[in-house]
Amino acid sequence: MDGDCGALLPRVLKVLADPTFDIPDDTCLEKLLDWLQDQARLEDAQSLVQEHPCIPHFISAVCTSESPDAAILAFAVKFTGILAANEGAFLRLDETGVIRMVFGCEEGIMKEMWEDPSVRSAWLHGLGGLVQHERGLRFFCESGLNRVALECQHDKSLFVTSGANNLLAHILNFACLPQCEESVQGDVTCRSAWDRLTVDIVKHISDTLSSDAQFQRRQALKLLALTLPGCRRPLLDRLWAAVLGPLELQIKMEPNSLVLPVMETLEAASRTDLFGQSDARIEDLIEAMLTSGDPNKVIQSASAIIHLEQCSESLKRKALDFILQPLLLISSSSTDTPSPVNGDSVKVHRAVLEGQLTQKSTCVPLLSLSLTSVSKLTSMEFQFMEIPEQLVIGAVMELLWMCLGESKTSTHLIGCSRLQRCCLDALSNLSTCQGGSAIRKNVLEALYHCLRNPDSEPTVLQKSLQAVLKWICVGSYSSELTEFLSQDLFPVLKRRVCDVQWEVRDSTLEFITQLSAHFTDNSVYRELLDCSGILPLLLASAEDGESYVRASAIAALGQAVTTLGPQGVQDPQSGLQDDVVTRLMTILAEDSEGFSRRAVVKVFTSWLKYQDSPPGLDLHGVLSLGSDDLDWEVKMYTLELAEALINKSLGLSFPNEPSPGPERPDVTEAQKKLEENRVLPVLLKNLFDYDRPVAHKACQLLLRLREDLGLTAGSCDSVEATAILGGGQSAEEMVKTWLKKRANSKSTSASESLQKTPDRTAGACVAASDWPTKLSFWELLNCLDLELRAQTLSLSSDHVVTSPRSLMEDILSAAQQSEDNMVDCY
Amino acid sequence: MPDIKVTPLGAGQDVGRSCILVSVGGKNIMLDCGMHMGYNDDRRFPDFSYITQNGRLTEFLDCVIISHFHLDHCGALPYMSEMVGYDGPIYMTHPTKAICPILLEDFRKITVDRKGETNFFTSQMIKDCMKKVVPINLHQTVQVDDELEIKAYYAGHVLGAAMVQIKVGSESVIYTGDYNMTPDRHLGAAWIDKCRPDILITESTYATTIRDSKRCRERDFLKKVHETVERGGKVLIPVFALGRAQELCILLETFWERMNHKAPIYFSTGLTEKANHYYKLFITWTNQKIRKTFVQRNMFEFKHIKPFDRSYADNPGPMVVFAAPGMLHAGQSLQIFKKWAGNEKNMVIMPGYCVQGTIGHKILNGQKKLEMEGRATLEVKLQVEYMSFSAHADAKGIMQLIRMAEPRNILLVHGEAKKMEFLKDKIEQEFSVSCFMPANGETATVETNPSVPVDISLNLLKREMALGGPLPDPKKPRTLHGTLIMKDNSLRLLSPEKALKELGLSEHQLRFTCHVQLQDPHSDADTLTRIYTHLKSILKGYTIQHLPDSTVMVESIVVKVSSTAEEPNLKIILLSWSYQDEELGSFMSTLLKKGLPVGLC
């Protein structure tokens, strides 16, 4: 613990123990606890207690106080738990009686304050720390705390029940903890304490699983699911034998509203040694989950079964049948084709299912669940076994047609956007299936109808576009695709780009950008795009009323130019890029919104990275406007542009790009190029920016520049300092002020500074009063002492005010405040 | 009994962040999805794992409703929808949808400034989240699905703030979000129908306070600014981009105009134009005065307030600067503060609360020496003023809203436990309704008695009328017999005959049968006669017949006697009755089980 904090701690704890003290901010205690926990971990908790007697004093003062604040009491209890996790500290605290005071919840202040859920929660949290060693476990057992912990498992607060479950699971698995294994095996007292505890907990789980109260059964299942992964024999056998019966009853229960926790428990069990054991009947239980009368529950179970690693193929196949059944049933009823899922396993189910599928209120959740499960299967690259993937895709499409009102048989799903979203997600994911290219045309047709449908909601449109992109990427480029792009897609995109809803316009523009990026090297696409009439719409969209849309339009324009090449395809004289550049420069200078201006700079950076500097692009102008921008992100992107320019000038590679040839441009040449674009003034100006990320980026670039230029003293010609600074008066002023401050501080600790940075003192002599008229690059960069600045800037902007010392000072100063700090918020 | 369950994940006995889960009529709705600005880690967001373990929020939630744009009500939304994953509908008013991303962006900047922060959403995520938002209008009933509907009411508080009514069948919940029952300079007072919800979930920030008039606070604010400017000092007002900043701008603009002040006022965030654009766009959401004067002069076209350039901070002479961020976290407001802190002529006015871990929090706690980077210290000589302009209903306002809505139950959120306790007692005393105040993670359950509407056939009603009796009176319910048909999501009560006809079913009679054994040394026929006599003496007023086919009939109940040749004295009595005579049938079987009285002929 650092000296300052160590000195403040007694005062802080004294203030906190004062019952009249009002906590200044509800986060203070948690932050203080975070720090104390770090201290207990970094240092030895025992010496923490020994060296800071204020700690046990504080805990006992809170516990003997007549009316402590519940939050302070909870803090003290958690803190005790953190310390007591160390055996030595536990003994020390036990000697002073603190342990009993804190954890004996049936007497004293804990009893009085027990009604407060934060106190109960803290108590469980604290005990979690205490039972990390055998002495703690024995204390827990001998004090009869197990009973209270078990009661907490049925608490009305979710946080308390969760705390109780964690504690009880930890106790059950205590013998498996590396630090405790030996004591449990070797120490008879410890062994017997643990045995007693486990007997009680196992019985409790078994009894609770048989309880009438659903909430209690749910908690028992959660506890089981938490315990099983870490549980070892022989306790594992004992536990499973005790819960098997009640678990079977739970599975047979109708309606079974606990499908998910039961499945989690079975999943956990399947990962233990029990799985291969026939009398444990885990697979039977898992299979029994598929016999529920409620198709929703069955699909939930089936979806979990598919993901089980250990599960047999036959059971997975059966689960798959259940997942697909509603989907295939509703689509086959519409297409009059028999469903391939007709196995005995799902027959019983069918009547209920058919009934549910005819009612919208039951049909929508059922199909959504089925589709979501299908989506998850495809994302895990699941093979549909004997069921052809095309059939599944066909069923999803059929459902989509139903939602679009294009199916003759079913009308109750028309316009259901929830289902449409699920269908589109599933279709997107199914695009990776084998044989997808064979049905690409059909899928794209269905998606085209979604895009065309005037009633499609924005989210449906967005997902349709995402699906189109996925399916376009399936297989190779073909004339069929050209037809789709030119006759269907581009016309509908042109309409959607002008949609009344900004969400639709934006999604469409984002899609156009992605599409153009995908087809950058495709000459057919380039021609199609050029002739499509989309480009004028993109230019118009760059003036949209909504800034999100303007930004997306700018990105789309940028990508279009990259794809088409600077001159366009059809009319090389059209000078597309020139038009775009002019428009973008206007936006950068005039647009009132940051999003659009950020997009402009990003486009320029991307151009510069992947092609030569576009003709007509005034890089100096962009850098100047960007670095003066009010928006911090525009400044950040401008620095990225500057970085791209530096890389280009120095012949350096960009990340993820092959490195350039062995020939590197001449340093003087590069320097000249950078000077022309006045990169240095931009970097210097941003070095002193109010927004720390901007200043940090500028500093990193200056450091890189110094290194990459390989500058050493005398290697550069001296140039006029004002020329370097490019007449940027504010930058010059800032550098001067900074140098002056630096010179002053250096004069007070000149020798120290000299020792630390003997090679970087060149600038120390440059005081503001004698600002040199000639200064080399090297001199300028060196006199800025960039390393020190980089170090400062790399820290979080609030690192001083969020330090533990600052936190403690805040608590102390709040205690001195006489005024009542009335609660306030926005 | 059906019930409504309410579980706060945030705002349960605190004012940290609002996130309340409501389950009503089988629907799950999340009310607000706020962020706690006091934490830099995951603790700032609600822990959604308590709602659903598998993280599939889309399957669990039917919709999310956001009451207004403050981050403690909407700040976790992009995290929930884009990082945890939620694809379902999100509802908020048009102004909230427009302004919400500005504040989210504003806060995102602060988090980028704080190094090492992980798990925070990006700009793209904010946009993607906003695309999922369905905007709603005031008083417009929005059908979320076939059963669930919502309706927004004006809440005051900030531009676009709404209270919301949630209805599933006849069960309903009102959630107030934050509201203000007194109009202020640019917004009106909250208002709601007398909708008698099953439960009213109300904020209780000022549960025990009767606040002084906002006018007084405003006067005080202007006086302080005026005095500082007069003596040549500079005034710094740290603000977030939107909300209170606009309110204070109007205040100063009007005052400057009236006093003919020349000292410049600057607004530094660069977002003013956008903010003002929205205030202009959503003029209908402001109060009557602003709307009325809008034609002559737009209140948000500021004449005296100009954009700020960082070089102005060093200008000599007085000035007023609104600078972001609001708690002196970092950036511009902090830099200006550092420049001006050393001069006692200057003043900083904090118009809202500040979380721990900010300079704002420190100076409000009265700290005069602040540690800066590199162990440097900054002496705070300028005057520090705290002025709460937060627009929440006070205790009187909360009671007023309860009177307006007439709820059957009340649940308090967004307040301090001790103060809630006080208000809870007051509410229960005055309105005689149950008042709940669950802590975070606790569930309050309210039993409801939903009335299920049923269509009754005209014929059945006519038949009932023909039978006589009083005319229908809602205060005196009476029994009406009929057949209830549940078909195509509707309920209809018909006469049994009509129901049979409509459903194409034939009528079946349900009869209950039981055998009673008794010892009687007479012949079967004599035993039956003895039974007849016995029943005659007991069941006075009932139609009892001894029929020639060796049967006794009591109303619809058939009694027969038989015995076997092996045991002629052991009589087996068969009793059979229709369901209409179930009580009588049960009574007779019990009676005969006791045997026949001695001396019966």
Side-chain angles (χ1 to χ4, degrees), chain A residues 485-502:
Chain A
L485 289 172
S486 60
Q487 288 174 22
D488 295 337
L489 189 62
F490 282 148
V492 82
L493 289 181
K494 278 159 70 181
R495 275 210 305 280
R496 289 301 186 184
V497 144
C498 307
D499 197 280
V500 67
Q501 300 185 74
W502 74 262

Side-chain angles (χ1 to χ4, degrees), chain B residues 88-374:
Chain B
I90 301 165
Y91 294 95
M92 56 179 81
T93 64
H94 286 276
T96 305
K97 181 174 181 180
I99 297 167
C100 206
I102 302 180
L103 291 206
L104 289 167
E105 283 288 339
D106 209 22
F107 194 74
R108 194 177 65 79
K109 182 189 162 187
I110 294 170
T111 62
V112 174
D113 240 9
R114 292 170 173 165
K115 298 278 163 141
E117 289 224 7
T118 52
N119 218 10
F120 205 80
F121 41 78
T122 62
S123 206
Q124 181 70 34
M125 285 175 182
I126 296 174
K127 180 167 80 172
D128 287 341
C129 169
M130 285 303 134
K131 284 184 182 175
K132 292 176 185 169
V133 172
V134 183
I136 51 173
N137 294 313
L138 287 180
H139 306 152
Q140 169 202 2
T141 302
V142 176
Q143 209 69 41
V144 176
D145 59 32
D146 289 350
E147 289 108 26
L148 171 64
E149 62 180 46
I150 58 171
K151 187 176 177 182
Y153 290 95
Y154 191 75
H157 186 62
V158 288
L159 191 77
M163 301 192 272
V164 64
Q165 182 189 34
I166 301 140
K167 265 181 97 171
V168 181
S170 63
E171 292 172 284
S172 68
V173 177
I174 300 274
Y175 172 58
T176 64
D178 291 351
Y179 64 103
N180 190 8
M181 294 299 283
T182 50
D184 65 25
R185 204 161 276 271
H186 70 296
L187 295 169
W191 179 86
I192 197 158
D193 279 323
K194 199 177 284 300
C195 40
R196 299 192 178 94
D198 289 298
I199 188 159
L200 169 78
I201 305 172
T202 173
E203 68 133 324
S204 50
T205 318
Y206 296 136
T208 55
T209 319
I210 306 293
R211 298 199 88 193
D212 58 346
S213 126
K214 205 167 173 187
R215 297 261 164 204
C216 295
R217 274 176 277 149
E218 288 171 357
R219 246 195 328 265
D220 201 19
F221 168 77
L222 291 173
K223 191 169 163 248
K224 283 184 170 133
V225 173
H226 176 74
E227 282 169 2
T228 310
V229 168
E230 281 295 288
R231 65 169 178 259
K234 296 176 169 65
V235 182
L236 170 66
I237 308 168
V239 285
F240 285 101
L242 253 147
R244 201 145 309 141
Q246 279 61 43
E247 198 182 330
L248 297 178
C249 280
I250 297 178
L251 200 60
L252 276 189
E253 171 82 10
T254 324
F255 185 68
W256 247 235
E257 185 76 25
R258 204 173 67 226
M259 304 297 287
N260 201 20
H261 268 311
K262 294 286 177 251
I265 308 174
Y266 299 115
F267 202 110
S268 80
T269 64
L271 288 161
T272 346
E273 283 178 36
K274 182 156 187 171
N276 293 341
H277 163 74
Y278 284 126
Y279 272 80
K280 281 183 242 169
L281 190 66
F282 299 113
I283 194 83
T284 51
W285 286 77
T286 54
N287 67 21
Q288 220 177 5
K289 192 182 162 196
I290 290 191
R291 287 202 301 271
K292 269 187 179 171
T293 55
F294 183 68
V295 187
Q296 301 128 33
R297 191 192 143 226
N298 182 349
M299 197 77 101
F300 298 100
E301 298 278 11
F302 300 122
K303 201 169 95 187
H304 298 274
I305 302 169
K306 305 275 184 252
F308 179 74
D309 181 279
R310 57 184 285 169
S311 62
Y312 299 168
D314 298 319
N315 286 355
M319 70 175 82
V320 181
V321 176
F322 288 92
M327 302 185 193
L328 296 175
H329 286 87
Q332 212 152 38
S333 62
L334 183 58
Q335 295 298 333
I336 300 171
F337 173 79
K338 283 181 189 170
K339 275 183 193 286
W340 296 357
N343 189 340
E344 60 278 0
K345 278 205 293 190
N346 299 338
M347 178 184 279
V348 59
I349 300 178
M350 307 297 298
Y353 94 121
C354 296
V355 293
Q356 194 279 327
T358 59
I359 294 284
H361 178 86
K362 284 183 179 293
I363 59 169
L364 284 181
N365 265 339
Q367 293 186 39
K368 292 291 175 199
K369 275 194 178 161
L370 302 175
E371 190 194 335
M372 294 286 134
E373 262 166 287

Side-chain angles (χ1 to χ4, degrees), chain A residues 135-167:
Chain A
R135 281 179 199 275
L137 186 88
R138 267 175 25 215
F139 168 82
F140 181 81
C141 181
E142 284 156 14
S143 312
L145 302 181
N146 204 25
R147 189 184 53 75
V148 189
L150 292 172
E151 277 170 17
C152 285
Q153 212 233 349
H154 300 158
D155 199 275
K156 58 183 177 177
S157 163
L158 291 174
F159 303 154
V160 175
T161 53
S162 162
N165 282 336
N166 285 326
L167 174 69

